[in-house]
Amino acid sequence: MIRVQAEDFDPGAEIARFNAGNGKVGGICMFLGLVRDFMGDGTGVAGMTLEHYPGMTEKQLAAIEAEARRRWPLEDALIIHRYGRLQAGDRIVLVATASAHREAAFESCHFLMDWLKTRAPFWKIEHTAGGDHWVAAKDSDDAQAARWETPADGA
Amino acid sequence: MIRVQAEDFDPGAEIARFNAGNGKVGGICMFLGLVRDFMGDGTGVAGMTLEHYPGMTEKQLAAIEAEARRRWPLEDALIIHRYGRLQAGDRIVLVATASAHREAAFESCHFLMDWLKTRAPFWKIEHTAGGDHWVAAKDSDDAQAARWETPADGA
Amino acid sequence: MKVLYFAWLRAKAGLGEEDVTPPAGVADVAGLVAWLKTRSAGLAEAFADMAVVRVAVNQDYVGLDHPITAGDEVAFFPPVTGG
Amino acid sequence: MKVLYFAWLRAKAGLGEEDVTPPAGVADVAGLVAWLKTRSAGLAEAFADMAVVRVAVNQDYVGLDHPITAGDEVAFFPPVTGG
């Protein structure tokens, strides 16, 4: 399931729904991404805004989820991504996968995050006393995502 | 932090404590292990008992956590493992790691589970209508754990 | 044809969205970009380095050689930084 | 010396824990196992295949050649199956 929203979410409540299992789930892997205090001054007042491309975001996230379900035997999968104004410590993204097997849960969760990082159309702009700065994409994110490429992926 | 207990735990509450971050945490990875319905009959009545070695369990889990903290820059780490009688769908184990970096959170969480599987002294006995059966260790678990071996690990 | 700009491309373009009717010879994304660059100094600056511009047609990633037609939604944006 | 048995080793041994005083010649885990096997049919069966037995001395994993002394806690158990 895909959710793109401005509102915060409750990781515990989300995981609890995975828990209401059918007896087939042996492992749940969850990743939760938070806004770091990029000013590094500990004041926690650093702010950012996450812009996105409504419509394409949902389309790309759904495609990424479908790809994960194609590659691993998943009982459930969830991607929640927020947009809008966020402060240091705020939740940005939650990815969770449930499978009979621990390895499938770990790998698919990792895959979803890596692909989301390079394919979901979100852009961060950081607000600082010195002005606003668009965050640059990281080569390391491309390298992470490339690990999951298969010959069939083409571009 | 290490907790070995008979009682259930609340994954949401545990993660919420990681959330009360210092602004340094960019990613939290969590793995939750559940009892599968190994009878496969969907009745959910399958039961098992997790035996452990009090004292050694805590010592080994603490050593595994310390190794993870040595290998990755972690802001926090948590291992909760239950023992005693459990039913299908029950929570068995929770491992969670928090780091500034997503990759460190994913890898350390995966490492903790893989090493815990082959080093923490727990044994499962399944209770079925046909009798009780000690669960056999899986070669695949040894293979998973071996991925994290370093030359310094020796045995 | 609907054209969308996001993040710093929107800032440079000076607008987030526009409806355009390119001349008949514009058949692919590269042609559209070349034509858009002639329309304003801001757009010329936005498209100055196509190595840092990603393109989606109808919400799927495409390359510069992807064909475009009148009813398409074409979006230009920098490499993504979500998650 | 305290000796502990877990899981199916406990079932075969017929006990979970015992205090023992091995003869003077018993200096390592292998020697202790050889001596314990002489004490009951159950222990002989528990230790029939040491490939499936893990050993801890004072709660750390050790090999069969690990030395043992009077005050040690020695535990025998199958490969672990937690998590």
Side-chain angles (χ1 to χ4, degrees):
Chain A
M1 198 210 296
I2 301 300
R3 278 161 43 200
V4 181
Q5 61 189 50
E7 314 85 65
D8 194 14
F9 53 84
D10 178 349
E14 301 300 341
I15 288 303
R17 289 200 285 178
F18 272 71
N19 265 328
N22 50 11
K24 292 180 184 167
V25 175
I28 293 170
C29 187
M30 188 196 83
F31 181 85
L32 180 64
L34 307 174
V35 179
R36 275 197 288 163
D37 179 11
F38 52 83
M39 296 298 287
D41 58 4
T43 60
V45 297
M48 61 145 63
T49 300
L50 257 170
E51 180 178 334
H52 77 124
Y53 179 177
M56 181 168 173
T57 306
E58 289 81 355
K59 186 174 185 178
Q60 292 298 317
L61 291 180
I64 294 167
E65 181 192 348
E67 180 65 19
R69 288 179 180 272
R70 197 181 66 74
R71 295 191 188 196
W72 289 278
L74 301 183
E75 296 294 329
D76 209 346
L78 173 67
I79 304 174
I80 305 175
H81 204 302
R82 294 177 68 190
Y83 59 87
R85 179 94 185 204
L86 297 171
Q87 304 294 323
D90 281 355
R91 286 175 277 267
I92 304 174
V93 61
L94 182 147
V95 167
T97 54
S99 176
H101 305 289
R102 146 175 127 265
E103 208 51 27
F106 264 117
E107 289 191 358
S108 58
C109 188
H110 204 158
F111 164 83
L112 287 172
M113 273 306 300
D114 284 349
W115 270 32
L116 176 160
K117 274 272 184 186
T118 55
R119 298 189 179 213
F122 289 94
W123 304 275
K124 292 184 180 121
I125 184 166
E126 293 176 347
H127 310 299
T128 73
D132 292 348
H133 306 281
W134 290 101
V135 173
K138 285 185 286 189
D139 290 342
S140 60
D141 285 335
D142 288 333
Q144 281 297 126
R147 293 189 315 169
W148 304 101
E149 295 285 346
T150 62
D153 289 329
Chain B
M1 195 210 298
I2 300 299
R3 279 160 42 201
V4 181
Q5 62 190 47
E7 315 85 65
D8 193 14
F9 53 84
D10 178 348
E14 302 298 341
I15 289 304
R17 290 200 284 177
F18 273 70
N19 265 329
N22 50 11
K24 292 179 186 168
V25 175
I28 293 171
C29 187
M30 188 195 82
F31 181 85
L32 179 64
L34 307 175
V35 179
R36 274 197 290 163
D37 179 11
F38 52 83
M39 295 299 286
D41 58 4
T43 61
V45 296
M48 60 146 63
T49 300
L50 257 169
E51 180 178 335
H52 76 124
Y53 179 176
M56 182 169 173
T57 305
E58 289 81 355
K59 186 175 184 178
Q60 292 298 317
L61 291 180
I64 294 167
E65 181 191 348
E67 181 65 19
R69 288 179 180 272
R70 195 180 67 74
R71 294 191 188 196
W72 289 277
L74 301 183
E75 295 293 329
D76 209 345
L78 173 66
I79 303 174
I80 306 175
H81 205 303
R82 294 177 70 190
Y83 59 86
R85 178 92 186 206
L86 298 171
Q87 304 292 324
D90 281 355
R91 287 176 276 267
I92 304 175
V93 60
L94 182 147
V95 168
T97 54
S99 176
H101 305 289
R102 146 175 128 264
E103 208 49 28
F106 265 117
E107 288 191 358
S108 59
C109 188
H110 205 158
F111 164 83
L112 286 171
M113 272 307 300
D114 284 349
W115 271 31
L116 176 159
K117 274 272 184 185
T118 54
R119 300 190 179 213
F122 289 94
W123 303 274
K124 291 183 181 122
I125 185 167
E126 293 175 347
H127 310 299
T128 73
D132 292 347
H133 305 282
W134 290 101
V135 173
K138 284 185 287 189
D139 289 342
S140 59
D141 286 335
D142 287 334
Q144 280 298 125
R147 293 189 315 170
W148 304 101
E149 295 285 346
T150 62
D153 288 330
Chain C
M1 180 179 302
K2 189 155 102 176
V3 178
L4 305 174
Y5 307 96
F6 292 96
W8 59 254
L9 271 105
R10 188 190 57 243
K12 286 187 196 287
L15 73 167
E17 179 175 340
E18 56 180 334
D19 282 301
V20 300
T21 309
V26 171
D28 60 14
V29 172
L32 177 64
V33 168
W35 176 69
L36 289 169
K37 286 171 78 170
T38 67
R39 302 188 79 222
S40 79
L43 283 168
E45 193 188 336
F47 291 123
D49 180 6
M50 288 304 290
V52 293
V53 176
R54 299 290 174 268
V55 188
V57 170
N58 300 327
Q59 307 186 350
D60 282 318
Y61 287 99
V62 299
L64 293 175
D65 59 350
H66 192 84
I68 51 172
T69 56
D72 284 343
E73 174 178 303
V74 184
F76 298 99
F77 46 80
V80 302
T81 57
Chain D
M1 180 179 303
K2 188 154 103 177
V3 178
L4 304 173
Y5 307 97
F6 291 96
W8 58 255
L9 272 105
R10 188 190 59 244
K12 286 187 195 287
L15 74 169
E17 179 175 341
E18 57 180 333
D19 283 300
V20 300
T21 309
V26 171
D28 60 14
V29 172
L32 177 63
V33 168
W35 176 69
L36 288 168
K37 286 172 79 170
T38 67
R39 301 187 79 222
S40 78
L43 284 168
E45 192 188 336
F47 291 123
D49 179 6
M50 289 303 289
V52 292
V53 176
R54 299 290 174 269
V55 189
V57 170
N58 300 325
Q59 307 184 351
D60 282 317
Y61 288 97
V62 299
L64 292 176
D65 59 349
H66 192 82
I68 51 171
T69 56
D72 284 343
E73 176 176 304
V74 183
F76 298 99
F77 47 80
V80 302
T81 57

